[in-house]
Amino acid sequence: YRYAEDLNESLTNIRIVTGHSTEQMAKFAQEANAAAKALSTTTTKYTNAALIFYQQGLADDLVKEYTDITIDMANVTGDGAEQVSSYMTAIWNNFNKSGEESAEHFADVLTALGAATASSTSEIAAGLEKFAAIADVTGLSYDYATAALATLVSNTRQSADVVGTSLKTIFSRLESVSLGETLDDGVNLTKYSEALKVVGVEILDTSGEMRNLDDILDDTAEKWDTLTRAQQLATAQTVAGVRQYNNFISLMDNWDDMKANLDIAKNSDGTLQEQAGIYADSWEAARDRVRAAAETIYQSLLDDKF
């Protein structure tokens, strides 16, 4: 009875935001139970996670895709589904606006770097939330963003939250000058461009448009070891500002780590499913599968009218 009560509450909340019928919810409950057994969770954990995405107005097929990924992420990271859905929503909305990339790739990168570096998956995700919104404007790719964050956390031992805020400041400077603004320290697009041109890096393409930040970072790193320390300092202060230039220098100084993390990110597809498979062998996963199997029996005995 308690299961029926909890499930009814969860399904009712979904009906409120979607307008779905009782019959549609009954079918969804069966689908949720099947997914719960496959993902080593319980039916109500699944429906509650789905509610988060239904509240965003997403279509049924996208809700299922996002919910499956969220449950797997919650299982392997130990984070709650609500927390996972929050940071994954920020990532999907800002780094995959075109929808061209597989939604699971973004989770794969997080879990791969979380396992391979000194940062946890949830730490990297929390740091990304700080500057995800400016990625589209600056042409910063998801792989570069996560690799840069993981590199700095590993080498500076600052928290991902602090590093994320620092990267937001650094990348916001490029966004601001590209929009024609003059920064507080007097740097504008002309000064920013000239400072990098001195060391052999162009920030504008042949048509005068801003190049992608990925390419600017690559070119700067390639020239970095050829510069004197004075040139490095001057370049870093122009690019990152006087408060954040140390982190920019650290990123450039540890570019070999950055490239290694980039390789991990670019070859991470399948990591979430691999880790989810390991989790499925755990006692906790087996317990939830047993619960979901029992819930199948409950659903055959009880219906919404009961």
Side-chain angles (χ1 to χ4, degrees):
Y1 177 80
R2 184 173 297 127
Y3 164 73
E5 187 177 45
D6 290 344
L7 181 61
N8 180 270
E9 179 182 359
S10 183
L11 296 178
T12 298
N13 289 334
I14 292 175
R15 282 193 68 195
I16 289 171
V17 299
T18 63
H20 286 352
S21 67
T22 304
E23 290 73 19
Q24 286 175 301
M25 286 294 92
K27 181 182 178 184
F28 176 68
Q30 293 177 341
E31 294 170 351
N33 178 250
K37 286 184 286 187
L39 297 171
S40 300
T41 189
T42 64
T43 308
T44 50
K45 283 182 182 178
Y46 189 91
T47 57
N48 287 335
L51 171 63
I52 296 167
F53 296 112
Y54 274 123
Q55 288 172 327
Q56 298 174 24
L58 302 180
D60 290 348
D61 57 343
L62 202 54
V63 167
K64 182 182 183 332
E65 181 181 11
Y66 283 7
T67 303
D68 287 357
I69 294 171
T70 295
I71 292 296
D72 274 339
M73 286 281 287
N75 285 342
V76 302
T77 64
D79 297 330
E82 186 173 354
Q83 181 186 1
V84 173
S85 66
S86 175
Y87 61 63
M88 289 309 298
T89 294
I91 289 169
W92 285 322
N93 287 349
N94 287 290
F95 288 101
N96 198 29
K97 290 181 178 180
S98 65
E100 294 178 358
E101 190 71 71
S102 161
E104 192 163 323
H105 171 74
F106 298 87
D108 286 331
V109 173
L110 282 182
T111 50
L113 285 173
T117 68
S119 305
S120 70
T121 297
S122 56
E123 283 180 324
I124 297 173
L128 281 173
E129 283 191 90
K130 297 293 183 180
F131 62 94
I134 65 173
D136 187 50
V137 178
T138 59
L140 177 68
S141 70
Y142 178 69
D143 289 352
Y144 268 73
T146 49
L149 184 67
T151 300
L152 283 175
V153 169
S154 297
N155 286 284
T156 66
R157 303 311 308 144
Q158 300 175 88
S159 71
D161 191 68
V162 169
V163 171
T165 301
S166 175
L167 289 175
K168 177 184 178 181
T169 301
I170 294 171
F171 300 149
S172 291
R173 285 175 68 83
L174 179 59
E175 177 189 23
S176 295
V177 298
S178 69
L179 295 174
E181 299 177 17
T182 298
L183 305 176
D184 292 341
D185 55 4
V187 173
N188 55 24
L189 180 59
T190 300
K191 291 182 179 180
Y192 196 104
S193 178
E194 288 176 350
L196 283 172
K197 188 179 292 186
V198 167
V199 298
V201 177
E202 295 284 351
I203 68 168
L204 301 177
D205 60 23
T206 53
S207 26
E209 297 296 322
M210 186 71 67
R211 298 173 67 210
N212 287 339
L213 186 51
D214 291 7
D215 297 329
I216 295 173
L217 289 173
D218 270 339
D219 288 354
T220 306
E222 185 179 343
K223 302 286 186 181
W224 191 252
D225 288 339
T226 67
L227 308 179
T228 66
R229 204 56 182 173
Q231 287 176 314
Q232 290 176 348
L233 182 61
T235 302
Q237 288 183 341
T238 300
V239 171
V242 294
R243 294 182 180 177
Q244 304 297 342
Y245 72 89
N246 281 329
N247 274 335
F248 184 80
I249 289 175
S250 180
L251 182 62
M252 292 294 110
D253 284 346
N254 294 285
W255 197 255
D256 285 344
D257 289 348
M258 172 70 178
K259 288 193 292 185
N261 288 334
L262 265 176
D263 285 340
I264 292 171
K266 290 177 178 179
N267 296 287
S268 64
D269 288 354
T271 300
L272 177 60
Q273 288 307 310
E274 181 181 343
Q275 293 187 12
I278 295 171
Y279 172 81
D281 292 333
S282 70
W283 181 88
E284 182 180 7
R287 179 200 63 192
D288 282 346
R289 285 196 299 273
V290 170
R291 287 180 177 175
E295 290 164 359
T296 304
I297 300 173
Y298 303 159
Q299 287 183 192
S300 67
L301 298 174
L302 308 174
D303 61 25
D304 190 64
K305 293 179 181 179
F306 174 86

